[in-house]
Amino acid sequence: MMVNSLGRELPEKVGSYIVRPYGSEAVETAVTVRTNRTAGTRSNGGSKLLGSIVAALEACGLQSGMTISFHHSFREGDLVVGQVMAAIRELGIHDLRFAPSAVVNLSNFSLAEYVRDGTITRIEASGIRGELGDSLIDGSIRMEEPAILRPHGARPRAIEMGELAIDVAFIAVSASDEYGNSTGQIGTNICGSLGYSFIDARSARKVVAITDTLVDYPCCPASISQQYVDYVVKVDKVGDSGKIGAGAARLTKNPRDLTIAQRVAEIIAASRRFQEGFSFQTGAGAISIACTKFLSEQMERRGVTASFALGGITSGIIDMYDAGQVRVVECSQSFDARAAGAIYSRPGVREIDNADYANAYSKGNFLDHLNFGVLGALEVDTDFNVNLLTGSSGRMMGGLGGGPDVAEGADISIVTLPIVRGRTPSVVRRVFTCCTPGETVACVVTQAGIALNPHHRHYGELREDLERAGIKPVTIQELQQLAEEITGVPEPIRTTDRVVAVVEYRDGSVVDVIRETVF
Amino acid sequence: MMVNSLGRELPEKVGSYIVRPYGSEAVETAVTVRTNRTAGTRSNGGSKLLGSIVAALEACGLQSGMTISFHHSFREGDLVVGQVMAAIRELGIHDLRFAPSAVVNLSNFSLAEYVRDGTITRIEASGIRGELGDSLIDGSIRMEEPAILRPHGARPRAIEMGELAIDVAFIAVSASDEYGNSTGQIGTNICGSLGYSFIDARSARKVVAITDTLVDYPCCPASISQQYVDYVVKVDKVGDSGKIGAGAARLTKNPRDLTIAQRVAEIIAASRRFQEGFSFQTGAGAISIACTKFLSEQMERRGVTASFALGGITSGIIDMYDAGQVRVVECSQSFDARAAGAIYSRPGVREIDNADYANAYSKGNFLDHLNFGVLGALEVDTDFNVNLLTGSSGRMMGGLGGGPDVAEGADISIVTLPIVRGRTPSVVRRVFTCCTPGETVACVVTQAGIALNPHHRHYGELREDLERAGIKPVTIQELQQLAEEITGVPEPIRTTDRVVAVVEYRDGSVVDVIRETVF
């Protein structure tokens, strides 16, 4: 057993996975970018359209033991993962490594069943929300290898460094021509940015574009190019645009969330970095959407405009672009139908590669230049460590998303959460699963107060700025005690020694592991 | 000595270059895409701006024997190649492989001098126009290794297959931010599409963006992403937008060129492929610009619109887009300032990767779907072989460009040229240098008549279509004889056995070689 610099106990090895503890000597190894894509085979101009997903699987030569990938831009509206997995089962292919950008709750099919029956034996994603995640944690499903959970920026790093080599990428697209030029921006069921899939398209050995809308050649816009696509399959429906939002698109009426959002906007406005040309990422979810609105109001009041807004984009950001408040919208994901449709017609609303968004192990990414990042959390502890994955009962409640990337990348990273949720404290002594190292979190905002992290690199600056603005922070310990007073001390979650998932950081080191829980 | 299927005599080896003759058994070897780019090194968010090109060379670790690359989108207005070469000489670096997308005539500096003094000892490009090319042919400059001339589509193939591994790519951009997001579309001196550089950006070990216009972060549009750029250098001027045109932008008044252009438009309009949603590439140059205009008129008359226009784009094509005559403009190069500026504001005018345009050894490219391709030529022979490189005197007069790619890709490839130029015949018994295999040329159009190639795959169809339209072709032999009657039989060019350049085809096989000429 080892202990990393965050105080998390880690085994040296889980299955065949060798643990490199977070905070140990940084091993920067420049390796030549790895890819599974091949060159040297002649294209022929013929249609790449195949009659079924089964036909595409056969054409790709998908075999047991291989690695497959998907994007999660349709979120809970995705209808492609289910169709592909059913076809794979039909062919009797098993022992797959399932490596989507994220696993989300899909009401239409049970991923857990595919693990139970051995179709999938390895999982790598930014999160495994839903039945499967819960089953892994409670031990009702067991895999020999741990699930590898990576934040968004770490996935392209792992792919380019050869740690995650994809055999077949299945890319759900809202429109495609028969030669594979495809997009998420037009068609019947749009998801907007396909930024998560760019790395898959250029790196996978075989790429299948799956669409419900075939368009005349050439598809325009074309986010994914014909030079990367092997086959195109038309299905009845790829997804439901109405469900791409991570949260409600309408402004919340919850006074608690409004209070938190208002405080965040005040902190941003108080910062010396809130000046002409600043940049921000507010994200999705109720607090984020309200926060975008309050931020917009602060900007108007102060006559300040932003150089760019980043990440998952909502229609509130598009409004700001249209009003001239944001010069460029760098969109790695679209969080509502209006944001999804905004890329095509607006030259300053750009669909960006997820690697360009968040991969810290490239020559540069947008997070390197982000001033303010607003982040959600399930739990935060008195060391400012953030839990994005597991709920109070030990269930799998979320995904890493870009959380750890944004926290470290942004100058001022602001973690927002209610101080308690029902009878569960959100500010605790020690998070159950550490996902984002506390040292990368500048402040925590709850309805009961704001806590600044004295160990953050911009602590002095932020404290000064808030003081000048008359904003009085509390300590994180005060918030924790307040939460505990409301809820009482929660029963500790008991776990076995069996590790079911490793939580990787941006650099591939291990921040924490998730163990089987005893309920 | 070998003879390839086009009857060209080839040595088995030139320097260390091993000749694979065109038309021999196609060796399709799927290899994993090669790249020199590295992953695994942490980006730091700091400025990538360096004070000088010399500083960038040192930071990149450029050393003697390495390979450097440039794009040629500024054409004869380029000011970056000269500045970089001067800095390289200043550092005493030598024995470089110079591998731009093309070498064009640059009035501002002499590339030949850099070969003479050993700074450059190997050259790979689509052409080596100007003093250097001439000096190689007349033997006044000699290199141990042959120049490797590749059509545009073959360059990304060679890079991805590892035949051309780039150490440092220097990318001239009209605007960049300090972190390397850069473009050719905005700034003081724009060149428009940077499509030739995309492969360099993602494949080179080090990438230097050179600009005269630094913009606030993030640069938008951003054709080249920060994730691919190591350093940014600001110079006084990167190029002259007024010189990016390959030919005059105004409509020619030359009756010969107008006749040829008119005939081309008539052939296209006569074809059964001239129907709603057809596609075309007309190119630049006097005949091409006139041809675009006449084609537009034919389309209006017949009520036909095009799905896409491809390749090097002129303002005439932008007019057609604006008028709704062309749905998508797939722009790999911009041939005038208006076309260069058209990408940003028009969602259907797209800046495309040159690999996406023309690389036949990927999963697909736009040429696979092109109906009509209009091409220029220096000479064509009675086997329809086309010479794009060497003039009648044995001088280096042109570059391969996308000629061989478009000829093979387009359903109907139309080679245009005057029947004689001065006292030199353009239609000859045997071209001096074979660049485009005759079997890929559908027809030749001169002011004196149209010749169809009986060995082209669509010969029967085209003959029928022209007949229906009342267009009467002549034979290529008739054109050749007519030319000869006008000019007399030219003296044959005498050469030594010394090969100075190999002419590669799309697949890397050798179509022809260029030998030293005895003047």
Side-chain angles (χ1 to χ4, degrees), chain A residues 16-70:
Chain A
S16 67
Y17 183 95
I18 294 161
V19 174
R20 179 159 61 88
Y22 171 85
S24 54
E25 209 54 50
V27 188
E28 280 204 17
T29 320
V31 301
T32 300
V33 166
R34 311 287 169 81
T35 173
N36 261 356
R37 184 162 57 91
T38 55
T41 308
R42 171 80 199 214
S43 66
N44 63 24
S47 172
K48 296 176 181 173
L49 189 64
L50 294 177
S52 67
I53 293 173
V54 165
L57 297 175
E58 290 172 338
C60 289
L62 184 71
Q63 290 176 13
S64 299
M66 285 186 173
T67 298
I68 59 174
S69 77
F70 301 85

Short mmCIF file of all heavy atoms in Angstrom, two decimals, chain A residues 16-70:
data_model
loop_
_atom_site.label_atom_id
_atom_site.label_comp_id
_atom_site.label_asym_id
_atom_site.label_seq_id
_atom_site.Cartn_x
_atom_site.Cartn_y
_atom_site.Cartn_z
N SER A 16 -4.09 -5.65 -13.75
CA SER A 16 -2.80 -5.45 -14.43
C SER A 16 -2.39 -3.98 -14.44
O SER A 16 -1.37 -3.61 -15.00
CB SER A 16 -2.88 -5.97 -15.86
OG SER A 16 -3.77 -5.17 -16.61
N TYR A 17 -3.21 -3.14 -13.82
CA TYR A 17 -2.96 -1.69 -13.83
C TYR A 17 -1.91 -1.32 -12.79
O TYR A 17 -2.10 -1.58 -11.59
CB TYR A 17 -4.26 -0.93 -13.56
CG TYR A 17 -4.13 0.58 -13.62
CD1 TYR A 17 -4.43 1.27 -14.79
CD2 TYR A 17 -3.72 1.32 -12.50
CE1 TYR A 17 -4.31 2.66 -14.85
CE2 TYR A 17 -3.60 2.70 -12.56
CZ TYR A 17 -3.89 3.36 -13.73
OH TYR A 17 -3.77 4.73 -13.79
N ILE A 18 -0.83 -0.71 -13.22
CA ILE A 18 0.23 -0.29 -12.30
C ILE A 18 -0.01 1.16 -11.89
O ILE A 18 -0.11 2.05 -12.72
CB ILE A 18 1.61 -0.46 -12.94
CG1 ILE A 18 1.86 -1.96 -13.15
CG2 ILE A 18 2.70 0.18 -12.08
CD1 ILE A 18 2.94 -2.28 -14.14
N VAL A 19 -0.14 1.35 -10.58
CA VAL A 19 -0.51 2.66 -10.05
C VAL A 19 0.72 3.58 -9.96
O VAL A 19 1.73 3.21 -9.37
CB VAL A 19 -1.15 2.51 -8.65
CG1 VAL A 19 -1.40 3.88 -8.01
CG2 VAL A 19 -2.44 1.70 -8.75
N ARG A 20 0.59 4.75 -10.57
CA ARG A 20 1.61 5.80 -10.39
C ARG A 20 0.96 6.86 -9.52
O ARG A 20 0.02 7.53 -9.95
CB ARG A 20 2.00 6.36 -11.76
CG ARG A 20 3.02 7.46 -11.74
CD ARG A 20 3.74 7.61 -13.08
NE ARG A 20 2.84 7.95 -14.19
CZ ARG A 20 2.50 9.20 -14.53
NH1 ARG A 20 2.96 10.23 -13.84
NH2 ARG A 20 1.69 9.42 -15.54
N PRO A 21 1.41 7.03 -8.28
CA PRO A 21 0.67 7.90 -7.35
C PRO A 21 0.77 9.37 -7.73
O PRO A 21 1.83 9.83 -8.13
CB PRO A 21 1.36 7.67 -6.00
CG PRO A 21 2.38 6.60 -6.21
CD PRO A 21 2.61 6.46 -7.68
N TYR A 22 -0.32 10.07 -7.59
CA TYR A 22 -0.36 11.52 -7.80
C TYR A 22 0.64 12.20 -6.88
O TYR A 22 0.76 11.85 -5.72
CB TYR A 22 -1.76 12.05 -7.51
CG TYR A 22 -1.85 13.57 -7.50
CD1 TYR A 22 -2.02 14.27 -8.68
CD2 TYR A 22 -1.76 14.29 -6.30
CE1 TYR A 22 -2.08 15.67 -8.69
CE2 TYR A 22 -1.82 15.68 -6.29
CZ TYR A 22 -1.98 16.37 -7.48
OH TYR A 22 -2.04 17.73 -7.48
N GLY A 23 1.32 13.20 -7.42
CA GLY A 23 2.21 14.01 -6.60
C GLY A 23 3.61 13.44 -6.49
O GLY A 23 4.49 14.06 -5.92
N SER A 24 3.82 12.24 -7.02
CA SER A 24 5.18 11.71 -7.03
C SER A 24 5.95 12.47 -8.11
O SER A 24 5.37 13.19 -8.92
CB SER A 24 5.17 10.22 -7.34
OG SER A 24 4.46 9.98 -8.52
N GLU A 25 7.22 12.29 -8.11
CA GLU A 25 8.05 13.00 -9.09
C GLU A 25 7.39 12.93 -10.47
O GLU A 25 7.11 11.86 -10.98
CB GLU A 25 9.45 12.34 -9.13
CG GLU A 25 10.55 13.29 -9.51
CD GLU A 25 10.56 14.53 -8.61
OE1 GLU A 25 10.51 14.38 -7.37
OE2 GLU A 25 10.58 15.64 -9.17
N ALA A 26 7.13 14.08 -11.04
CA ALA A 26 6.49 14.13 -12.35
C ALA A 26 7.39 13.45 -13.38
O ALA A 26 8.55 13.80 -13.52
CB ALA A 26 6.22 15.57 -12.76
N VAL A 27 6.85 12.46 -14.04
CA VAL A 27 7.63 11.79 -15.08
C VAL A 27 7.14 12.31 -16.42
O VAL A 27 6.10 11.89 -16.91
CB VAL A 27 7.44 10.26 -15.01
CG1 VAL A 27 8.41 9.59 -15.97
CG2 VAL A 27 7.65 9.75 -13.60
N GLU A 28 7.85 13.27 -16.95
CA GLU A 28 7.47 13.79 -18.26
C GLU A 28 8.26 13.06 -19.32
O GLU A 28 9.47 13.24 -19.44
CB GLU A 28 7.75 15.29 -18.34
CG GLU A 28 6.68 16.10 -17.66
CD GLU A 28 6.62 17.52 -18.20
OE1 GLU A 28 7.16 17.78 -19.29
OE2 GLU A 28 6.02 18.37 -17.52
N THR A 29 7.59 12.23 -20.04
CA THR A 29 8.27 11.50 -21.08
C THR A 29 7.67 11.91 -22.41
O THR A 29 6.51 11.64 -22.68
CB THR A 29 8.07 9.99 -20.90
OG1 THR A 29 8.16 9.69 -19.52
CG2 THR A 29 9.09 9.20 -21.69
N ALA A 30 8.45 12.59 -23.22
CA ALA A 30 7.97 12.94 -24.56
C ALA A 30 8.04 11.69 -25.42
O ALA A 30 9.11 11.16 -25.65
CB ALA A 30 8.83 14.05 -25.14
N VAL A 31 6.90 11.21 -25.84
CA VAL A 31 6.88 10.07 -26.75
C VAL A 31 6.28 10.51 -28.08
O VAL A 31 5.47 11.44 -28.11
CB VAL A 31 6.05 8.88 -26.20
CG1 VAL A 31 6.61 8.42 -24.86
CG2 VAL A 31 4.58 9.24 -26.08
N THR A 32 6.67 9.86 -29.13
CA THR A 32 6.07 10.17 -30.41
C THR A 32 4.59 9.82 -30.34
O THR A 32 4.22 8.78 -29.81
CB THR A 32 6.76 9.35 -31.52
OG1 THR A 32 8.14 9.69 -31.53
CG2 THR A 32 6.16 9.65 -32.87
N VAL A 33 3.75 10.71 -30.84
CA VAL A 33 2.30 10.51 -30.77
C VAL A 33 1.93 9.17 -31.39
O VAL A 33 2.33 8.86 -32.51
CB VAL A 33 1.58 11.67 -31.49
CG1 VAL A 33 0.12 11.34 -31.75
CG2 VAL A 33 1.71 12.95 -30.68
N ARG A 34 1.18 8.38 -30.65
CA ARG A 34 0.75 7.07 -31.13
C ARG A 34 -0.61 7.18 -31.79
O ARG A 34 -1.44 7.97 -31.38
CB ARG A 34 0.64 6.07 -29.96
CG ARG A 34 1.84 6.03 -29.05
CD ARG A 34 3.02 5.35 -29.69
NE ARG A 34 4.23 5.56 -28.88
CZ ARG A 34 4.55 4.85 -27.78
NH1 ARG A 34 3.75 3.87 -27.39
NH2 ARG A 34 5.63 5.10 -27.10
N THR A 35 -0.83 6.37 -32.77
CA THR A 35 -2.14 6.31 -33.39
C THR A 35 -2.36 4.91 -33.90
O THR A 35 -1.40 4.17 -34.13
CB THR A 35 -2.26 7.34 -34.54
OG1 THR A 35 -3.50 7.13 -35.23
CG2 THR A 35 -1.13 7.19 -35.55
N ASN A 36 -3.61 4.53 -34.04
CA ASN A 36 -3.94 3.22 -34.64
C ASN A 36 -4.37 3.38 -36.09
O ASN A 36 -4.65 2.40 -36.76
CB ASN A 36 -5.11 2.59 -33.86
CG ASN A 36 -4.63 1.55 -32.86
OD1 ASN A 36 -3.44 1.26 -32.79
ND2 ASN A 36 -5.55 0.99 -32.10
N ARG A 37 -4.50 4.62 -36.54
CA ARG A 37 -4.96 4.85 -37.90
C ARG A 37 -3.89 4.40 -38.89
O ARG A 37 -2.71 4.50 -38.62
CB ARG A 37 -5.25 6.35 -38.10
CG ARG A 37 -5.83 6.71 -39.45
CD ARG A 37 -6.49 8.09 -39.41
NE ARG A 37 -5.59 9.13 -38.99
CZ ARG A 37 -4.82 9.86 -39.81
NH1 ARG A 37 -4.88 9.66 -41.11
NH2 ARG A 37 -4.05 10.81 -39.34
N THR A 38 -4.32 3.91 -40.02
CA THR A 38 -3.35 3.45 -41.00
C THR A 38 -3.40 4.33 -42.24
O THR A 38 -4.41 4.93 -42.57
CB THR A 38 -3.61 1.99 -41.42
OG1 THR A 38 -4.96 1.87 -41.88
CG2 THR A 38 -3.38 1.04 -40.27
N ALA A 39 -2.27 4.39 -42.91
CA ALA A 39 -2.17 5.10 -44.19
C ALA A 39 -1.70 4.09 -45.23
O ALA A 39 -1.24 3.01 -44.88
CB ALA A 39 -1.16 6.23 -44.08
N GLY A 40 -1.84 4.46 -46.47
CA GLY A 40 -1.27 3.63 -47.53
C GLY A 40 -2.28 2.77 -48.26
O GLY A 40 -1.93 2.08 -49.21
N THR A 41 -3.53 2.81 -47.83
CA THR A 41 -4.55 2.07 -48.55
C THR A 41 -5.35 3.05 -49.39
O THR A 41 -5.74 4.11 -48.92
CB THR A 41 -5.47 1.32 -47.58
OG1 THR A 41 -4.66 0.55 -46.71
CG2 THR A 41 -6.41 0.40 -48.34
N ARG A 42 -5.59 2.67 -50.61
CA ARG A 42 -6.20 3.54 -51.58
C ARG A 42 -7.70 3.73 -51.32
O ARG A 42 -8.42 2.75 -51.15
CB ARG A 42 -5.99 2.90 -52.96
CG ARG A 42 -6.71 3.51 -54.11
CD ARG A 42 -5.99 4.74 -54.60
NE ARG A 42 -6.90 5.55 -55.38
CZ ARG A 42 -6.52 6.28 -56.42
NH1 ARG A 42 -5.25 6.29 -56.80
NH2 ARG A 42 -7.39 7.00 -57.07
N SER A 43 -8.16 4.97 -51.27
CA SER A 43 -9.60 5.23 -51.21
C SER A 43 -10.18 5.02 -52.60
O SER A 43 -9.47 5.12 -53.59
CB SER A 43 -9.86 6.66 -50.75
OG SER A 43 -9.40 7.57 -51.72
N ASN A 44 -11.45 4.69 -52.68
CA ASN A 44 -11.98 4.37 -54.00
C ASN A 44 -13.16 5.21 -54.45
O ASN A 44 -13.66 5.06 -55.56
CB ASN A 44 -12.36 2.88 -54.08
CG ASN A 44 -13.46 2.54 -53.10
OD1 ASN A 44 -14.23 3.42 -52.70
ND2 ASN A 44 -13.55 1.30 -52.71
N GLY A 45 -13.62 6.11 -53.60
CA GLY A 45 -14.70 6.98 -54.03
C GLY A 45 -16.08 6.37 -53.90
O GLY A 45 -17.08 7.06 -54.03
N GLY A 46 -16.14 5.08 -53.66
CA GLY A 46 -17.46 4.44 -53.54
C GLY A 46 -18.13 4.82 -52.23
O GLY A 46 -17.50 5.36 -51.33
N SER A 47 -19.41 4.54 -52.15
CA SER A 47 -20.14 4.84 -50.92
C SER A 47 -19.59 4.02 -49.77
O SER A 47 -19.22 2.86 -49.93
CB SER A 47 -21.62 4.52 -51.13
OG SER A 47 -22.30 4.62 -49.89
N LYS A 48 -19.52 4.63 -48.61
CA LYS A 48 -19.11 3.91 -47.40
C LYS A 48 -20.33 3.44 -46.61
O LYS A 48 -20.19 2.94 -45.49
CB LYS A 48 -18.25 4.83 -46.53
CG LYS A 48 -16.94 5.25 -47.18
CD LYS A 48 -16.18 6.24 -46.31
CE LYS A 48 -14.89 6.66 -46.99
NZ LYS A 48 -14.20 7.74 -46.24
N LEU A 49 -21.49 3.64 -47.19
CA LEU A 49 -22.73 3.32 -46.49
C LEU A 49 -22.91 1.81 -46.40
O LEU A 49 -22.86 1.11 -47.42
CB LEU A 49 -23.90 3.96 -47.23
CG LEU A 49 -25.26 3.92 -46.53
CD1 LEU A 49 -25.23 4.74 -45.24
CD2 LEU A 49 -26.35 4.44 -47.47
N LEU A 50 -23.14 1.32 -45.21
CA LEU A 50 -23.43 -0.09 -45.01
C LEU A 50 -24.85 -0.21 -44.48
O LEU A 50 -25.41 0.73 -43.93
CB LEU A 50 -22.44 -0.71 -44.02
CG LEU A 50 -20.98 -0.77 -44.51
CD1 LEU A 50 -20.08 -1.32 -43.42
CD2 LEU A 50 -20.87 -1.62 -45.78
N GLY A 51 -25.43 -1.40 -44.65
CA GLY A 51 -26.85 -1.57 -44.36
C GLY A 51 -27.20 -1.68 -42.89
O GLY A 51 -28.35 -1.50 -42.50
N SER A 52 -26.23 -1.97 -42.07
CA SER A 52 -26.54 -2.18 -40.66
C SER A 52 -25.29 -2.03 -39.81
O SER A 52 -24.16 -2.06 -40.33
CB SER A 52 -27.10 -3.59 -40.45
OG SER A 52 -26.07 -4.54 -40.70
N ILE A 53 -25.50 -1.90 -38.53
CA ILE A 53 -24.36 -1.83 -37.62
C ILE A 53 -23.60 -3.16 -37.63
O ILE A 53 -22.37 -3.17 -37.61
CB ILE A 53 -24.84 -1.46 -36.19
CG1 ILE A 53 -25.37 -0.01 -36.21
CG2 ILE A 53 -23.71 -1.60 -35.19
CD1 ILE A 53 -26.04 0.43 -34.92
N VAL A 54 -24.33 -4.25 -37.72
CA VAL A 54 -23.68 -5.57 -37.79
C VAL A 54 -22.73 -5.60 -38.98
O VAL A 54 -21.57 -6.04 -38.88
CB VAL A 54 -24.71 -6.72 -37.87
CG1 VAL A 54 -24.05 -8.02 -38.31
CG2 VAL A 54 -25.40 -6.90 -36.52
N ALA A 55 -23.19 -5.11 -40.12
CA ALA A 55 -22.34 -5.10 -41.31
C ALA A 55 -21.09 -4.26 -41.07
O ALA A 55 -19.98 -4.62 -41.51
CB ALA A 55 -23.12 -4.56 -42.51
N ALA A 56 -21.24 -3.15 -40.35
CA ALA A 56 -20.08 -2.29 -40.06
C ALA A 56 -19.10 -3.00 -39.13
O ALA A 56 -17.88 -2.92 -39.30
CB ALA A 56 -20.54 -0.97 -39.45
N LEU A 57 -19.64 -3.72 -38.15
CA LEU A 57 -18.76 -4.45 -37.22
C LEU A 57 -17.95 -5.48 -37.98
O LEU A 57 -16.74 -5.64 -37.75
CB LEU A 57 -19.60 -5.15 -36.15
CG LEU A 57 -20.40 -4.23 -35.22
CD1 LEU A 57 -21.27 -5.06 -34.28
CD2 LEU A 57 -19.47 -3.32 -34.43
N GLU A 58 -18.61 -6.16 -38.90
CA GLU A 58 -17.90 -7.17 -39.69
C GLU A 58 -16.87 -6.52 -40.60
O GLU A 58 -15.73 -6.98 -40.72
CB GLU A 58 -18.92 -8.00 -40.50
CG GLU A 58 -19.74 -8.90 -39.58
CD GLU A 58 -20.89 -9.63 -40.28
OE1 GLU A 58 -21.33 -9.14 -41.36
OE2 GLU A 58 -21.34 -10.65 -39.75
N ALA A 59 -17.27 -5.42 -41.23
CA ALA A 59 -16.33 -4.73 -42.13
C ALA A 59 -15.11 -4.21 -41.38
O ALA A 59 -14.00 -4.20 -41.90
CB ALA A 59 -17.04 -3.59 -42.84
N CYS A 60 -15.33 -3.78 -40.14
CA CYS A 60 -14.22 -3.27 -39.33
C CYS A 60 -13.34 -4.38 -38.78
O CYS A 60 -12.26 -4.12 -38.25
CB CYS A 60 -14.74 -2.45 -38.15
SG CYS A 60 -15.46 -0.88 -38.62
N GLY A 61 -13.85 -5.60 -38.88
CA GLY A 61 -13.09 -6.71 -38.30
C GLY A 61 -13.04 -6.67 -36.79
O GLY A 61 -12.06 -7.08 -36.17
N LEU A 62 -14.12 -6.18 -36.18
CA LEU A 62 -14.14 -6.12 -34.71
C LEU A 62 -14.08 -7.53 -34.14
O LEU A 62 -14.85 -8.41 -34.54
CB LEU A 62 -15.40 -5.42 -34.20
CG LEU A 62 -15.43 -5.23 -32.67
CD1 LEU A 62 -14.42 -4.17 -32.23
CD2 LEU A 62 -16.82 -4.88 -32.18
N GLN A 63 -13.17 -7.72 -33.22
CA GLN A 63 -13.00 -9.05 -32.61
C GLN A 63 -12.93 -8.94 -31.10
O GLN A 63 -12.65 -7.88 -30.55
CB GLN A 63 -11.70 -9.69 -33.13
CG GLN A 63 -11.79 -10.09 -34.59
CD GLN A 63 -10.49 -10.64 -35.12
OE1 GLN A 63 -9.59 -10.95 -34.35
NE2 GLN A 63 -10.40 -10.75 -36.43
N SER A 64 -13.18 -10.05 -30.47
CA SER A 64 -13.11 -10.11 -29.01
C SER A 64 -11.75 -9.61 -28.54
O SER A 64 -10.73 -9.89 -29.17
CB SER A 64 -13.33 -11.55 -28.55
OG SER A 64 -14.61 -11.99 -28.94
N GLY A 65 -11.79 -8.87 -27.44
CA GLY A 65 -10.54 -8.36 -26.87
C GLY A 65 -10.16 -6.97 -27.35
O GLY A 65 -9.23 -6.37 -26.82
N MET A 66 -10.88 -6.46 -28.33
CA MET A 66 -10.53 -5.15 -28.88
C MET A 66 -11.09 -3.99 -28.04
O MET A 66 -11.81 -4.21 -27.08
CB MET A 66 -11.03 -5.04 -30.32
CG MET A 66 -10.20 -5.84 -31.31
SD MET A 66 -10.74 -5.51 -33.02
CE MET A 66 -9.45 -6.39 -33.94
N THR A 67 -10.75 -2.79 -28.45
CA THR A 67 -11.18 -1.58 -27.75
C THR A 67 -12.13 -0.77 -28.63
O THR A 67 -11.82 -0.52 -29.80
CB THR A 67 -9.95 -0.71 -27.40
OG1 THR A 67 -9.11 -1.46 -26.53
CG2 THR A 67 -10.36 0.59 -26.73
N ILE A 68 -13.27 -0.39 -28.08
CA ILE A 68 -14.23 0.41 -28.83
C ILE A 68 -14.49 1.73 -28.11
O ILE A 68 -14.32 1.83 -26.90
CB ILE A 68 -15.57 -0.34 -29.04
CG1 ILE A 68 -16.20 -0.71 -27.69
CG2 ILE A 68 -15.35 -1.59 -29.89
CD1 ILE A 68 -17.58 -1.34 -27.82
N SER A 69 -14.89 2.74 -28.89
CA SER A 69 -15.13 4.04 -28.27
C SER A 69 -16.39 4.73 -28.81
O SER A 69 -16.85 4.40 -29.91
CB SER A 69 -13.91 4.95 -28.46
OG SER A 69 -13.89 5.48 -29.76
N PHE A 70 -16.90 5.65 -28.02
CA PHE A 70 -18.08 6.45 -28.35
C PHE A 70 -17.86 7.85 -27.76
O PHE A 70 -17.04 8.03 -26.86
CB PHE A 70 -19.34 5.86 -27.69
CG PHE A 70 -19.65 4.45 -28.08
CD1 PHE A 70 -19.05 3.37 -27.42
CD2 PHE A 70 -20.56 4.18 -29.10
CE1 PHE A 70 -19.34 2.07 -27.78
CE2 PHE A 70 -20.86 2.87 -29.46
CZ PHE A 70 -20.25 1.80 -28.80
#
